[in-house]
Amino acid sequence: MALAALGLTLAACGSGSNASSSVTVTVTRTRTVTTTRTVTTTPHGSKAAAACSGGDLSGSFALVPGSAGAGQVEYALTLTNTSGKTCYVTGTPQAQLLGKSGSSLPTNVEPAQSGAATAVKVSLAPEAVATANARFSPDVPGTGDAQTGACEPKAYTLRVQANGGGTVDVPVQPPTSVCERGLLTFQLLHAAS
């Protein structure tokens, strides 16, 4: 009988009222990520144009008629793509004034829109033209210039540094002195209209 009582006690302990249960909770977090990608494509079979080299270009640096005023004049630099392929120019022209014998003259190129404009690539197909005007004083001496006679020797050539390397020599028409130690205030290169 004692054995039966023990069996009932054990059965009562295993069943019942103190049973536990578990609950599973699933937490899902959503994260949104936005990415932007710029893709530049060229037509099938073509290559992106390279910067023009000095050998790709010809040009001139000529007086703009009626531009004289306040002791300054304006000359237009024109650059023509004489190669058989498309190339580009960009920015403020970098240049050196040269005398009649080809000797370097004082030259200081400054941008006309310093910090106010953004240079763009000007794509030049064969025979296309880019231009940039420069203002300067041909006869008002500045610091460091001769104060009597011509302020600086006459420039006959403007040597322009090409974006793709090399230089192109363009005639100055008409030859002129550039005062203030060769100060040329250039606009950015843009497509000729």
Side-chain angles (χ1 to χ4, degrees):
M1 179 118 143
L3 238 41
L6 179 59
L8 285 176
T9 305
L10 285 176
C13 287
S15 68
S17 61
N18 288 339
S20 66
S21 64
S22 63
V23 176
T24 303
V25 177
T26 303
V27 177
T28 304
R29 294 182 186 199
T30 303
R31 181 175 162 197
T32 303
V33 177
T34 303
T35 59
T36 303
R37 183 173 67 174
T38 303
V39 177
T40 304
T41 60
T42 55
H44 182 63
S46 68
K47 295 180 182 179
C52 298
S53 68
D56 295 332
L57 302 170
S58 67
S60 66
F61 190 54
L63 177 66
V64 175
S67 66
Q72 295 197 334
V73 295
E74 195 164 315
Y75 272 52
L77 170 65
T78 61
L79 296 174
T80 303
N81 178 1
T82 55
S83 76
K85 64 187 186 306
T86 298
C87 61
Y88 73 85
V89 294
T90 188
T92 302
Q94 297 305 305
Q96 175 67 53
L97 295 165
L98 303 175
K100 190 172 190 173
S101 66
S103 59
S104 294
L105 299 176
T107 309
N108 294 294
V109 174
E110 290 185 359
Q113 301 96 356
S114 182
T118 303
V120 297
K121 285 183 179 178
V122 180
S123 182
L124 298 176
E127 301 307 315
V129 177
T131 186
N133 288 8
R135 287 199 67 77
F136 61 91
S137 175
D139 53 15
V140 178
T143 303
D145 288 335
Q147 298 299 307
T148 58
C151 60
E152 293 290 338
K154 282 186 177 181
Y156 285 79
T157 304
L158 184 70
R159 178 167 288 160
V160 180
Q161 180 70 43
N163 296 109
T167 59
V168 58
D169 288 353
V170 300
V172 176
Q173 302 165 327
T176 183
S177 294
V178 180
C179 296
E180 299 179 77
R181 303 292 294 152
L183 179 61
L184 297 166
T185 305
F186 263 107
Q187 296 173 345
L188 294 171
L189 283 160
H190 60 280
S193 44

mmCIF file of all heavy atoms in Angstrom, residues 168-190:
data_model
loop_
_atom_site.group_PDB
_atom_site.id
_atom_site.type_symbol
_atom_site.label_atom_id
_atom_site.label_comp_id
_atom_site.label_asym_id
_atom_site.label_seq_id
_atom_site.Cartn_x
_atom_site.Cartn_y
_atom_site.Cartn_z
ATOM 1 N N VAL A 168 50.271 75.932 -79.265
ATOM 2 C CA VAL A 168 49.976 76.426 -80.605
ATOM 3 C C VAL A 168 50.313 77.918 -80.605
ATOM 4 O O VAL A 168 49.926 78.644 -79.689
ATOM 5 C CB VAL A 168 48.507 76.160 -81.021
ATOM 6 C CG1 VAL A 168 47.516 76.773 -80.062
ATOM 7 C CG2 VAL A 168 48.250 76.646 -82.442
ATOM 8 N N ASP A 169 51.070 78.362 -81.610
ATOM 9 C CA ASP A 169 51.419 79.777 -81.746
ATOM 10 C C ASP A 169 50.414 80.436 -82.675
ATOM 11 O O ASP A 169 50.222 79.982 -83.809
ATOM 12 C CB ASP A 169 52.831 79.931 -82.314
ATOM 13 C CG ASP A 169 53.910 79.559 -81.312
ATOM 14 O OD1 ASP A 169 53.580 79.300 -80.131
ATOM 15 O OD2 ASP A 169 55.094 79.512 -81.703
ATOM 16 N N VAL A 170 49.770 81.509 -82.186
ATOM 17 C CA VAL A 170 48.786 82.223 -82.999
ATOM 18 C C VAL A 170 49.252 83.667 -83.173
ATOM 19 O O VAL A 170 49.839 84.250 -82.266
ATOM 20 C CB VAL A 170 47.372 82.161 -82.368
ATOM 21 C CG1 VAL A 170 46.909 80.714 -82.231
ATOM 22 C CG2 VAL A 170 47.314 82.849 -81.020
ATOM 23 N N PRO A 171 49.018 84.249 -84.345
ATOM 24 C CA PRO A 171 49.465 85.625 -84.580
ATOM 25 C C PRO A 171 48.624 86.634 -83.792
ATOM 26 O O PRO A 171 47.416 86.452 -83.630
ATOM 27 C CB PRO A 171 49.270 85.802 -86.086
ATOM 28 C CG PRO A 171 48.216 84.820 -86.459
ATOM 29 C CD PRO A 171 48.364 83.665 -85.525
ATOM 30 N N VAL A 172 49.291 87.682 -83.316
ATOM 31 C CA VAL A 172 48.613 88.804 -82.665
ATOM 32 C C VAL A 172 48.346 89.822 -83.767
ATOM 33 O O VAL A 172 49.275 90.309 -84.415
ATOM 34 C CB VAL A 172 49.477 89.416 -81.544
ATOM 35 C CG1 VAL A 172 48.798 90.635 -80.937
ATOM 36 C CG2 VAL A 172 49.783 88.370 -80.475
ATOM 37 N N GLN A 173 47.053 90.148 -84.005
ATOM 38 C CA GLN A 173 46.671 91.008 -85.131
ATOM 39 C C GLN A 173 45.874 92.217 -84.658
ATOM 40 O O GLN A 173 44.745 92.027 -84.212
ATOM 41 C CB GLN A 173 45.844 90.192 -86.133
ATOM 42 C CG GLN A 173 46.575 88.981 -86.649
ATOM 43 C CD GLN A 173 45.641 88.000 -87.345
ATOM 44 O OE1 GLN A 173 44.494 87.833 -86.997
ATOM 45 N NE2 GLN A 173 46.166 87.325 -88.351
ATOM 46 N N PRO A 174 46.360 93.413 -84.754
ATOM 47 C CA PRO A 174 47.738 93.802 -85.074
ATOM 48 C C PRO A 174 48.640 93.595 -83.861
ATOM 49 O O PRO A 174 48.162 93.536 -82.729
ATOM 50 C CB PRO A 174 47.602 95.290 -85.406
ATOM 51 C CG PRO A 174 46.469 95.762 -84.567
ATOM 52 C CD PRO A 174 45.508 94.600 -84.508
ATOM 53 N N PRO A 175 49.949 93.506 -84.087
ATOM 54 C CA PRO A 175 50.881 93.391 -82.967
ATOM 55 C C PRO A 175 50.670 94.558 -82.008
ATOM 56 O O PRO A 175 50.344 95.681 -82.426
ATOM 57 C CB PRO A 175 52.254 93.466 -83.639
ATOM 58 C CG PRO A 175 52.005 92.971 -85.038
ATOM 59 C CD PRO A 175 50.631 93.488 -85.386
ATOM 60 N N THR A 176 50.839 94.298 -80.711
ATOM 61 C CA THR A 176 50.525 95.315 -79.704
ATOM 62 C C THR A 176 51.374 95.151 -78.452
ATOM 63 O O THR A 176 51.836 94.044 -78.157
ATOM 64 C CB THR A 176 49.033 95.246 -79.309
ATOM 65 O OG1 THR A 176 48.743 96.299 -78.390
ATOM 66 C CG2 THR A 176 48.679 93.919 -78.669
ATOM 67 N N SER A 177 51.532 96.242 -77.718
ATOM 68 C CA SER A 177 52.097 96.176 -76.372
ATOM 69 C C SER A 177 50.988 95.732 -75.429
ATOM 70 O O SER A 177 49.808 96.019 -75.662
ATOM 71 C CB SER A 177 52.580 97.565 -75.926
ATOM 72 O OG SER A 177 53.662 97.983 -76.718
ATOM 73 N N VAL A 178 51.372 95.017 -74.377
ATOM 74 C CA VAL A 178 50.422 94.639 -73.326
ATOM 75 C C VAL A 178 51.014 95.144 -72.020
ATOM 76 O O VAL A 178 51.987 94.596 -71.502
ATOM 77 C CB VAL A 178 50.187 93.114 -73.284
ATOM 78 C CG1 VAL A 178 49.183 92.768 -72.183
ATOM 79 C CG2 VAL A 178 49.691 92.610 -74.640
ATOM 80 N N CYS A 179 50.426 96.241 -71.524
ATOM 81 C CA CYS A 179 50.963 96.901 -70.328
ATOM 82 C C CYS A 179 50.650 96.099 -69.059
ATOM 83 O O CYS A 179 50.027 95.047 -69.119
ATOM 84 C CB CYS A 179 50.377 98.305 -70.220
ATOM 85 S SG CYS A 179 50.867 99.398 -71.582
ATOM 86 N N GLU A 180 51.098 96.669 -67.936
ATOM 87 C CA GLU A 180 50.960 96.043 -66.617
ATOM 88 C C GLU A 180 51.645 94.682 -66.602
ATOM 89 O O GLU A 180 51.087 93.700 -66.135
ATOM 90 C CB GLU A 180 49.489 95.927 -66.200
ATOM 91 C CG GLU A 180 48.798 97.287 -66.097
ATOM 92 C CD GLU A 180 47.342 97.163 -65.713
ATOM 93 O OE1 GLU A 180 47.079 96.930 -64.525
ATOM 94 O OE2 GLU A 180 46.487 97.279 -66.621
ATOM 95 N N ARG A 181 52.869 94.687 -67.194
ATOM 96 C CA ARG A 181 53.701 93.494 -67.263
ATOM 97 C C ARG A 181 52.992 92.339 -67.955
ATOM 98 O O ARG A 181 53.047 91.192 -67.555
ATOM 99 C CB ARG A 181 54.177 93.072 -65.869
ATOM 100 C CG ARG A 181 54.941 94.143 -65.101
ATOM 101 C CD ARG A 181 56.285 94.498 -65.657
ATOM 102 N NE ARG A 181 57.213 93.361 -65.543
ATOM 103 C CZ ARG A 181 58.234 93.159 -66.358
ATOM 104 N NH1 ARG A 181 58.477 93.995 -67.341
ATOM 105 N NH2 ARG A 181 59.024 92.140 -66.209
ATOM 106 N N GLY A 182 52.266 92.656 -69.036
ATOM 107 C CA GLY A 182 51.626 91.628 -69.849
ATOM 108 C C GLY A 182 50.335 91.078 -69.272
ATOM 109 O O GLY A 182 50.000 89.919 -69.498
ATOM 110 N N LEU A 183 49.579 91.910 -68.539
ATOM 111 C CA LEU A 183 48.344 91.447 -67.904
ATOM 112 C C LEU A 183 47.228 91.262 -68.938
ATOM 113 O O LEU A 183 46.772 92.215 -69.564
ATOM 114 C CB LEU A 183 47.886 92.432 -66.829
ATOM 115 C CG LEU A 183 46.584 92.063 -66.116
ATOM 116 C CD1 LEU A 183 46.719 90.725 -65.396
ATOM 117 C CD2 LEU A 183 46.181 93.163 -65.151
ATOM 118 N N LEU A 184 46.792 90.005 -69.111
ATOM 119 C CA LEU A 184 45.681 89.642 -69.995
ATOM 120 C C LEU A 184 44.569 89.071 -69.124
ATOM 121 O O LEU A 184 44.769 88.051 -68.449
ATOM 122 C CB LEU A 184 46.117 88.579 -71.012
ATOM 123 C CG LEU A 184 47.218 88.974 -71.993
ATOM 124 C CD1 LEU A 184 47.772 87.721 -72.693
ATOM 125 C CD2 LEU A 184 46.688 89.953 -73.004
ATOM 126 N N THR A 185 43.404 89.717 -69.143
ATOM 127 C CA THR A 185 42.263 89.224 -68.371
ATOM 128 C C THR A 185 41.348 88.468 -69.328
ATOM 129 O O THR A 185 40.611 89.066 -70.112
ATOM 130 C CB THR A 185 41.519 90.395 -67.689
ATOM 131 O OG1 THR A 185 42.464 91.128 -66.901
ATOM 132 C CG2 THR A 185 40.416 89.883 -66.781
ATOM 133 N N PHE A 186 41.416 87.123 -69.269
ATOM 134 C CA PHE A 186 40.731 86.247 -70.218
ATOM 135 C C PHE A 186 39.381 85.741 -69.714
ATOM 136 O O PHE A 186 39.245 85.399 -68.541
ATOM 137 C CB PHE A 186 41.578 85.010 -70.526
ATOM 138 C CG PHE A 186 42.391 85.100 -71.780
ATOM 139 C CD1 PHE A 186 43.760 85.258 -71.717
ATOM 140 C CD2 PHE A 186 41.795 84.990 -73.026
ATOM 141 C CE1 PHE A 186 44.531 85.308 -72.870
ATOM 142 C CE2 PHE A 186 42.550 85.047 -74.192
ATOM 143 C CZ PHE A 186 43.915 85.208 -74.103
ATOM 144 N N GLN A 187 38.422 85.671 -70.631
ATOM 145 C CA GLN A 187 37.172 84.954 -70.366
ATOM 146 C C GLN A 187 37.460 83.470 -70.520
ATOM 147 O O GLN A 187 38.509 83.063 -71.026
ATOM 148 C CB GLN A 187 36.086 85.366 -71.376
ATOM 149 C CG GLN A 187 35.682 86.809 -71.285
ATOM 150 C CD GLN A 187 34.729 87.179 -72.409
ATOM 151 O OE1 GLN A 187 34.580 86.472 -73.400
ATOM 152 N NE2 GLN A 187 34.084 88.328 -72.260
ATOM 153 N N LEU A 188 36.482 82.634 -70.135
ATOM 154 C CA LEU A 188 36.605 81.197 -70.331
ATOM 155 C C LEU A 188 36.407 80.852 -71.808
ATOM 156 O O LEU A 188 35.674 81.544 -72.510
ATOM 157 C CB LEU A 188 35.536 80.462 -69.523
ATOM 158 C CG LEU A 188 35.661 80.550 -68.002
ATOM 159 C CD1 LEU A 188 34.415 79.973 -67.345
ATOM 160 C CD2 LEU A 188 36.905 79.841 -67.526
ATOM 161 N N LEU A 189 37.046 79.799 -72.246
ATOM 162 C CA LEU A 189 36.825 79.322 -73.612
ATOM 163 C C LEU A 189 35.377 78.832 -73.761
ATOM 164 O O LEU A 189 34.820 78.211 -72.861
ATOM 165 C CB LEU A 189 37.787 78.163 -73.918
ATOM 166 C CG LEU A 189 39.221 78.561 -74.212
ATOM 167 C CD1 LEU A 189 40.160 77.386 -74.018
ATOM 168 C CD2 LEU A 189 39.349 79.149 -75.602
ATOM 169 N N HIS A 190 34.780 79.156 -74.900
ATOM 170 C CA HIS A 190 33.410 78.729 -75.198
ATOM 171 C C HIS A 190 33.281 78.503 -76.699
ATOM 172 O O HIS A 190 34.114 78.971 -77.472
ATOM 173 C CB HIS A 190 32.380 79.741 -74.682
ATOM 174 C CG HIS A 190 32.528 81.104 -75.276
ATOM 175 N ND1 HIS A 190 33.460 82.022 -74.840
ATOM 176 C CD2 HIS A 190 31.891 81.703 -76.298
ATOM 177 C CE1 HIS A 190 33.384 83.132 -75.557
ATOM 178 N NE2 HIS A 190 32.432 82.968 -76.467
#
